[in-house]
Amino acid sequence: MTLGLTLGKYAPLHRGHQMVIERAIAENDHVIVVIYDAPEVTSVPLRTRAAWIKTLSPSVEVVLATDGPTIVGAAPEITALHDAYLCRLLTGRDVTRFYSSEFYGRHVSQALGAIDCRVDEARTRIPISGTAIREAPYRYRSFLAPIVYRDLIKKVVFLGAPSTGKTTIARELAERLKTKWVPEFGREYWETHQIDRRLTLGQLAEIAVGHRHREDDVILDADRYLFVDTDATTTYQFSLDYHGTADPTVEQLADECSRRYQLCFLCDTDIPYDDTWDRSGEMHRNDFQAKIEADLIRRNIRFVKLSGSRPRRVSQVIEHLRALDS
């Protein structure tokens, strides 16, 4: 039985990495991919990066190098440190071939007693590097699988009762920062399907799923940030308001919101109420707002309340984006 090995930080996993892994799979009975923690170069968690590999190459064995050396270089003391760590990590595993596109292919192969297999070392077939992508992910997104690129974009959601300015601020920030935003799918759906200003439990589930699909589509063209008008927690609140209960799909998607967005803003009711035909009045706005805020607290979703004029709200968001990036 032949055993292939490759390794990296995969920060992020790109087409060049995938080519190395695919060649290892083609030439061996079993393949191990060692992935290093890399907090010094990426904020994407180790387990998220490992999930990319398992999703795109389900046959490989992914080994997490949670305590691997972070120092890099060709100095003898550095290469010896890495070789010793890999030998300990892979104790009892007889590696046949070691695959890489880097100089370290030679010393790692020697340390493991494996064949040194280089793949596109000159970067002629896939001219990209993790460093280039980290500096400009939008420019080089064609080198990334969709599941990878989605995780590189910071999702920012705006919540609040009807007529609290969610749509306005999401659209303005997207225009100002030259990226994309996701309008509230539920509003479009409601206008087409409502009967006596109500939707069924199943229709509310369709809204939650449809909104999530729209986010996943639009994010592939976003640059750094995706601004989102409303999420499944609001659909959940509408379901409670209409029916006193919610479809299991809505409940599940609402539960996932605590992990889905990097920033959550609650738009305040301190702006004039726009009393359009599809809304239920200012009293209902205040009541619904209180329920949304209580639900965020119950779910332990951290949020920032946006108050004041539109310019002030925009400034608040940009300030928090800078903090998130620092």
Side-chain angles (χ1 to χ4, degrees):
M1 179 176 176
T2 57
L3 176 61
L5 171 70
T6 188
L7 57 80
K9 297 174 182 175
Y10 306 107
L13 177 74
H14 55 66
R15 304 292 185 193
H17 296 136
Q18 289 180 254
M19 182 172 63
V20 174
I21 294 171
E22 288 164 5
R23 178 172 161 187
I25 292 171
E27 296 179 354
N28 296 277
D29 298 308
H30 186 66
V31 173
I32 296 174
V33 179
V34 173
I35 179 169
Y36 285 76
D37 202 3
E40 72 282 1
V41 296
T42 181
S43 60
V44 180
L46 175 63
R47 294 190 180 278
T48 298
R49 289 180 280 124
W52 295 338
I53 299 170
K54 285 300 296 181
T55 300
L56 295 170
S57 303
S59 67
V60 306
E61 175 186 351
V62 178
V63 175
L64 305 184
T66 56
D67 58 346
T70 57
I71 187 172
V72 295
E77 61 273 17
I78 296 176
T79 60
L81 180 67
H82 282 270
D83 292 346
Y85 176 78
L86 282 171
C87 288
R88 290 195 305 272
L89 186 67
L90 299 169
T91 298
R93 313 297 292 270
D94 186 12
V95 177
T96 310
R97 301 180 181 91
F98 177 66
Y99 295 83
S100 73
S101 302
E102 305 288 348
F103 74 92
Y104 56 69
R106 180 174 180 273
H107 70 79
V108 171
S109 298
Q110 289 179 343
L112 298 175
I115 300 170
D116 180 6
C117 301
R118 306 292 176 92
V119 183
D120 195 26
E121 192 171 10
R123 305 294 197 278
T124 55
R125 293 177 60 188
I126 301 183
I128 197 59
S129 69
T131 300
I133 292 174
R134 288 193 297 274
E135 291 176 352
Y138 180 77
R139 180 188 305 171
Y140 298 115
R141 66 193 186 282
S142 63
F143 291 97
L144 302 169
I147 65 165
V148 175
Y149 188 71
R150 288 188 184 114
D151 285 335
L152 302 184
I153 302 300
K154 296 179 174 67
K155 294 182 284 294
V156 181
V157 64
F158 297 94
L159 304 179
S163 191
T164 52
K166 304 182 298 295
T167 299
T168 300
I169 193 168
R171 179 173 53 226
E172 180 169 337
L173 282 160
E175 292 172 356
R176 178 175 295 204
L177 299 180
K178 296 180 174 55
T179 185
K180 299 295 183 179
W181 72 289
V182 180
E184 181 183 358
F185 179 72
R187 183 164 188 170
E188 301 171 20
Y189 188 101
W190 187 90
E191 290 174 352
T192 302
H193 297 88
Q194 60 87 20
I195 297 177
D196 294 330
R197 302 168 64 89
R198 288 292 183 269
L199 298 172
T200 67
L201 286 171
Q203 288 174 321
L204 288 160
E206 289 179 13
I207 286 174
V209 172
H211 189 86
R212 179 69 61 88
H213 286 165
R214 177 173 288 184
E215 286 183 21
D216 288 342
D217 289 340
V218 174
I219 200 171
L220 297 178
D221 291 316
D223 186 359
R224 295 177 297 156
Y225 313 109
L226 178 69
F227 297 107
V228 182
D229 177 356
T230 310
D231 68 10
T233 64
T234 300
T235 309
Y236 175 79
Q237 287 301 318
F238 272 113
S239 187
L240 295 184
D241 194 53
Y242 288 165
H243 304 288
T245 188
D247 185 280
T249 298
V250 175
E251 292 183 347
Q252 178 186 338
L253 294 179
D255 288 342
E256 291 173 2
C257 288
S258 62
R259 303 179 299 276
R260 184 169 176 82
Y261 305 97
Q262 283 68 56
L263 279 176
C264 175
F265 294 95
L266 179 62
C267 296
D268 205 351
T269 57
D270 62 339
I271 60 175
Y273 181 71
D274 186 12
D275 193 11
T276 57
W277 76 274
D278 57 325
R279 291 171 175 159
S280 302
E282 188 166 7
M283 289 287 291
H284 186 264
R285 176 178 75 158
N286 294 333
D287 179 60
F288 203 72
Q289 180 82 351
K291 291 177 179 178
I292 289 174
E293 183 167 354
D295 188 53
L296 291 174
I297 294 170
R298 180 181 66 83
R299 295 178 186 278
N300 292 317
I301 296 177
R302 298 181 61 183
F303 64 91
V304 177
K305 186 173 288 189
L306 292 180
S307 304
S309 65
R310 186 173 67 186
R312 184 172 183 272
R313 292 183 179 204
V314 169
S315 296
Q316 283 181 273
V317 174
I318 290 177
E319 180 181 338
H320 280 86
L321 292 177
R322 287 172 179 161
L324 186 64
D325 292 337
S326 62

